[in-house]
């Protein structure tokens, strides 16, 4: 998959719409011109990386993921469910993962390997339907499901109000450093519909110019 193929088709349209309505967002769009959300299109790796990144910083998650990928990654860099199953709980013990996260990753791998999870069906489902489907999997909550919708399915209007980075960026850019309550944050995000994924991506960049690719 080339970068051009993986960039969302709506990106330019969303940029124009957001820049017209929000001066602060327009500044971010200018600052990060030429960059965009991209997807690697690998459902298992996207979900696995989201589990690895739960409740830790981006820097810490990158370090743990690098160790995890060194254990289970194929020569071409692909992360496959079968390799995670082959490693097992003990094989993942030196990756810096908590015992709970190792259990989650092995359970996720078992579901993919057995066919209990069928990613193809998500393409035809609405955002909340996909979230409900994913949250039925052990270790996957709403935040992880939302990361999947953003980074794998490239859905245009996801707004992960529980994400610490989003909360911090909105507080700094729009609330003079005061972090809004969840309900206020959700209400504030309505200004960016139907492109809240794009707004969220730029808000993340305001804190860290290096884009995470799940």
């Amino acid at each position: 998959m080339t970068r051009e193929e993986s960039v969302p088709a709506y990106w330019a349209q969303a940029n124009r719409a957001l820049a017209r309505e929000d001066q602060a967002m327009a500044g971010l769009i200018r600052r990060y011109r030429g960059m965009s959300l991209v997807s690697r299109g690998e459902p298992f790796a996207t979900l696995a990386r989201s589990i690895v990144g739960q409740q830790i910083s981006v820097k810490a998650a990158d370090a743990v993921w690098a160790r995890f990928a060194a254990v289970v990654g194929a020569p071409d860099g692909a992360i496959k469910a079968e390799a995670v199953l082959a490693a097992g709980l003990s094989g993942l013990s030196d990756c810096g993962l908590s015992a709970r996260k190792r259990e989650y990753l092995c359970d996720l791998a078992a579901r993919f390997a057995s066919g209990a999870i069928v990613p193809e069906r998500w393409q035809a489902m609405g955002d909340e339907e996909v979230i409900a489907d994913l949250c039925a999997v052990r270790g996957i909550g709403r935040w992880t499901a939302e990361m999947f919708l953003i980074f794998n399915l490239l859905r245009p209007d996801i707004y992960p109000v529980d994400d610490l980075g989003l909360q911090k960026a909105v507080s700094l850019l729009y609330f003079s450093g005061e972090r809004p309550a969840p309900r206020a944050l959700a209400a504030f995000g309505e200004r960016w519909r139907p492109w809240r994924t794009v707004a969220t991506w730029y808000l993340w960049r305001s804190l860290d110019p290096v884009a995470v690719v799940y």
Side-chain angles (χ1 to χ4, degrees), residues 123-142:
Q123 294 292 342
M125 295 168 64
D127 295 340
E128 290 301 324
E129 290 178 298
V130 177
I131 288 171
D133 208 33
L134 285 169
C135 285
V137 178
R138 188 174 177 222
I140 295 181
R142 185 175 182 90

Side-chain angles (χ1 to χ4, degrees), residues 93-175:
S93 61
D94 293 330
C95 297
L97 293 159
S98 67
R100 185 69 57 87
K101 286 185 180 181
R102 281 184 279 136
E103 291 173 4
Y104 290 163
L105 288 165
C106 287
D107 182 65
L108 180 70
R111 289 172 182 265
F112 266 83
S114 69
I117 290 179
V118 184
E120 291 75 17
R121 65 192 294 266
W122 293 325
Q123 294 292 342
M125 295 168 64
D127 295 340
E128 290 301 324
E129 290 178 298
V130 177
I131 288 171
D133 208 33
L134 285 169
C135 285
V137 178
R138 188 174 177 222
I140 295 181
R142 185 175 182 90
W143 179 86
T144 303
E146 287 171 335
M147 294 304 102
F148 184 83
L149 286 167
I150 291 171
F151 288 101
N152 189 272
L153 297 183
L154 299 178
R155 296 293 174 89
D157 196 35
I158 306 302
Y159 188 60
V161 294
D162 294 326
D163 185 81
L164 297 178
L166 175 64
Q167 294 170 12
K168 181 177 180 180
V170 171
S171 74
L172 291 173
L173 281 173
Y174 298 96
F175 288 86

Side-chain angles (χ1 to χ4, degrees), residues 1-213:
M1 181 182 292
T2 66
R3 184 183 185 281
E4 289 73 18
E5 290 171 335
S6 61
V7 172
Y10 55 75
W11 198 257
Q13 178 186 358
N15 282 349
R16 290 193 295 270
L18 291 169
R20 280 197 306 268
E21 302 297 328
D22 186 320
Q23 289 187 347
M25 192 63 62
L28 291 177
I29 291 169
R30 287 193 299 271
R31 187 185 309 172
Y32 299 106
R33 182 175 290 123
M35 298 175 63
S36 72
L37 171 68
V38 295
S39 172
R40 288 179 176 163
E42 300 166 353
F44 177 74
T46 298
L47 289 170
R49 185 152 191 164
S50 294
I51 289 172
V52 167
Q54 289 172 357
Q55 299 179 326
I56 59 177
S57 69
V58 171
K59 183 177 181 180
D62 285 345
V64 175
W65 180 259
R67 293 195 291 271
F68 174 75
V71 172
V72 302
D76 62 358
I79 306 296
K80 300 296 184 183
E82 293 77 9
V84 175
L85 287 177
L89 293 172
S90 61
L92 300 178
S93 61
D94 293 330
C95 297
L97 293 159
S98 67
R100 185 69 57 87
K101 286 185 180 181
R102 281 184 279 136
E103 291 173 4
Y104 290 163
L105 288 165
C106 287
D107 182 65
L108 180 70
R111 289 172 182 265
F112 266 83
S114 69
I117 290 179
V118 184
E120 291 75 17
R121 65 192 294 266
W122 293 325
Q123 294 292 342
M125 295 168 64
D127 295 340
E128 290 301 324
E129 290 178 298
V130 177
I131 288 171
D133 208 33
L134 285 169
C135 285
V137 178
R138 188 174 177 222
I140 295 181
R142 185 175 182 90
W143 179 86
T144 303
E146 287 171 335
M147 294 304 102
F148 184 83
L149 286 167
I150 291 171
F151 288 101
N152 189 272
L153 297 183
L154 299 178
R155 296 293 174 89
D157 196 35
I158 306 302
Y159 188 60
V161 294
D162 294 326
D163 185 81
L164 297 178
L166 175 64
Q167 294 170 12
K168 181 177 180 180
V170 171
S171 74
L172 291 173
L173 281 173
Y174 298 96
F175 288 86
S176 301
E178 291 189 22
R179 191 159 299 193
R183 184 174 296 181
L185 180 63
F188 191 80
E190 291 296 311
R191 68 184 56 204
W192 298 313
R193 279 189 187 270
W195 310 116
R196 289 180 298 173
T197 291
V198 183
T200 297
W201 187 90
Y202 281 112
L203 288 163
W204 282 334
R205 298 289 69 72
S206 73
L207 301 176
D208 186 353
V210 179
V212 175
V213 180

